Amino acid sequence: MALPEHASAGPLPGEITRLPILILHVHSHCNCRCVMCDIWKRKDHASLSRADLDRHRNSLRDLQVEQVVLTGGEPLLHEDFASICEFFRKMRIRVTLLTTGLRLAECADIIAGGVDEIIISLDGPREMHDRIRRVPGAFDRIAQGIAAVRVLRPELLIAARCTVQSENHAHLQETVKTARELGLCSISFLAVDVSSHAFNRPLVWPGDRQQKIALSAAQVTVLQEQLTRLAAARAADRAPVPFIVEGPEKLLKIVRHFSAQLGEGSFAAPVCNAPWVSAVLELGGTLRPCFFHPVTADASNQDLHAALNSESARSFRQTLDVATDPICSRCVCSLNYVRN
């Protein structure tokens, strides 16, 4: 099978010689108890060690990693988050922080000096956000944290990401308004994932749990109205960088995803080249081609470059057909990175 248009052909079939984006798990636990995620149920509080990073230093350089996305769990629960940022700053790798936002104020000085972009999970206006997160006062802590970071570094990019699900599907316009009021630079939307092993699900959720988070037919109708209005607002946005990240087609694809879950229409894989331009390095060294596909390699006893191009990882990339793969077909996220 031929590699996607943007993949680099290496000396061996399926080999990656350049990895623009590395998604890195920094801490295993989370400080929210979200209704649509099970990461908070983890018993351990493991953190990425500086020694692990040092071991991959040459690989990061050889693979020309441009951006590292810090995730978890909650990265800001790491006891020495400053050291993690310092490592990548010295390597001149752009740092994106995915966060619940609950510790922004406490870590404002570290963030201002060591992070290039923040993406905060936002589930809706104040009461809705706190209810979905199941953390009283969570929204206000986000607002205070944003303000604290802005004092130290006003130009820092701080964006929102909203996971669309049953509790907030009818309030997406309010969510956009809320993001603007928080002073964020943009907001993106994606459908909730209810059918994969991602987000600390050793077993796929049973049907009744999926139904509580996914949408009913009546709710899909409401969602379509919400997203149609957002699509119109996005199309009318003349700013150099539109506030709503997704264009009309991507927004309305969220409706089609929930409809397919109800058996109305079929799932459609997104345009995605994530396995060829990025990788997810988990705590303990396991390596995935994206959040949703199974582990393809182990970097616990070898460096990132070797693990990324192990026989098992190369074989996965050689045989993956995004358009027909069942995991890709149900995917709620996508990456279509175009190299310069």
Side-chain angles (χ1 to χ4, degrees):
M1 174 183 168
L3 292 178
E5 180 182 351
H6 304 301
S8 292
L12 294 174
E15 183 171 356
I16 288 179
T17 58
R18 182 183 169 200
L19 187 76
I21 302 169
L22 176 65
I23 300 158
L24 187 65
H25 284 224
V26 174
H27 190 81
S28 63
H29 205 63
C30 188
N31 49 10
C32 284
R33 299 167 59 87
C34 302
V35 298
M36 64 285 193
C37 177
D38 286 346
I39 290 175
W40 59 272
K41 293 182 178 180
R42 290 174 178 158
K43 302 299 183 183
D44 65 320
H45 290 254
S47 293
L48 178 72
S49 74
R50 181 59 184 264
D52 286 333
L53 279 180
D54 287 334
R55 184 160 52 83
H56 298 305
R57 184 188 301 272
N58 290 339
S59 288
L60 294 169
R61 185 178 295 111
D62 294 342
L63 290 165
Q64 303 174 62
V65 174
E66 301 167 8
Q67 177 185 13
V68 61
V69 180
L70 305 181
T71 185
E74 170 52 55
L76 294 179
L77 290 176
H78 195 290
E79 292 183 354
D80 194 10
F81 186 73
S83 177
I84 302 297
C85 293
E86 180 187 27
F87 176 90
F88 291 110
R89 297 297 285 182
K90 287 184 176 179
M91 293 198 70
R92 301 191 178 188
I93 295 174
R94 179 179 178 82
V95 176
T96 296
L97 169 65
L98 301 186
T99 179
T100 63
L102 299 186
R103 285 183 52 81
L104 287 177
E106 295 96 317
C107 303
D109 56 340
I110 298 171
I111 292 167
V115 170
D116 298 288
E117 177 187 23
I118 305 171
I119 300 176
I120 300 172
S121 299
L122 181 67
D123 297 308
R126 176 181 281 103
E127 292 77 12
M128 179 169 293
H129 179 84
D130 290 0
R131 184 168 64 251
I132 292 173
R133 295 272 140 179
R134 294 190 285 200
V135 177
F139 182 92
D140 289 338
R141 288 169 66 180
I142 288 175
Q144 293 161 9
I146 293 170
V149 173
R150 289 275 188 238
V151 168
L152 298 173
R153 193 172 167 195
E155 77 284 2
L156 183 64
L157 295 174
I158 309 179
R161 178 170 294 163
C162 178
T163 301
V164 180
Q165 40 113 339
S166 59
E167 288 206 40
N168 65 6
H169 76 283
H171 303 274
L172 302 188
Q173 292 180 88
E174 297 172 56
T175 304
V176 172
K177 180 182 177 183
T178 299
R180 289 187 182 275
E181 291 172 346
L182 285 169
L184 301 178
C185 64
S186 66
I187 185 169
S188 61
F189 293 92
L190 74 164
V192 67
D193 170 67
V194 298
S195 60
S196 79
H197 289 275
F199 309 107
N200 192 42
R201 298 173 194 149
L203 300 174
V204 173
W205 276 346
D208 59 342
R209 178 77 188 277
Q210 292 187 34
Q211 290 172 8
K212 289 180 181 178
I213 305 300
L215 272 59
S216 66
Q219 288 173 327
V220 169
T221 300
V222 173
L223 174 65
Q224 182 165 8
E225 180 183 351
Q226 287 279 311
L227 290 177
T228 298
R229 292 183 179 181
L230 290 185
R234 169 54 158 81
D237 191 340
R238 301 306 177 194
V241 180
F243 190 77
I244 299 173
V245 173
E246 291 81 13
E249 183 178 347
K250 278 194 172 183
L251 285 172
L252 295 176
K253 189 173 181 180
I254 297 174
V255 176
R256 293 194 292 273
H257 180 85
F258 283 113
S259 294
Q261 287 180 339
L262 295 170
E264 300 174 5
S266 58
F267 290 99
V271 176
C272 180
N273 61 357
W276 294 272
V277 298
S278 67
V280 180
L281 183 58
E282 301 174 320
L283 292 168
T286 46
L287 191 68
R288 296 178 186 267
C290 71
F291 279 114
F292 303 101
H293 277 287
V295 170
T296 56
D298 185 352
S300 62
N301 56 5
Q302 58 186 330
D303 64 26
L304 176 63
H305 193 289
L308 187 67
N309 289 304
S310 62
E311 183 177 354
S312 56
R314 287 189 292 106
S315 176
F316 172 84
R317 290 190 291 271
Q318 283 180 266
T319 57
L320 176 64
D321 183 353
V322 171
T324 60
D325 183 86
I327 291 177
C328 294
S329 295
R330 288 176 172 265
C331 186
V332 298
C333 187
S334 66
L335 173 66
N336 189 31
Y337 178 87
V338 179
R339 288 178 171 143
N340 296 325

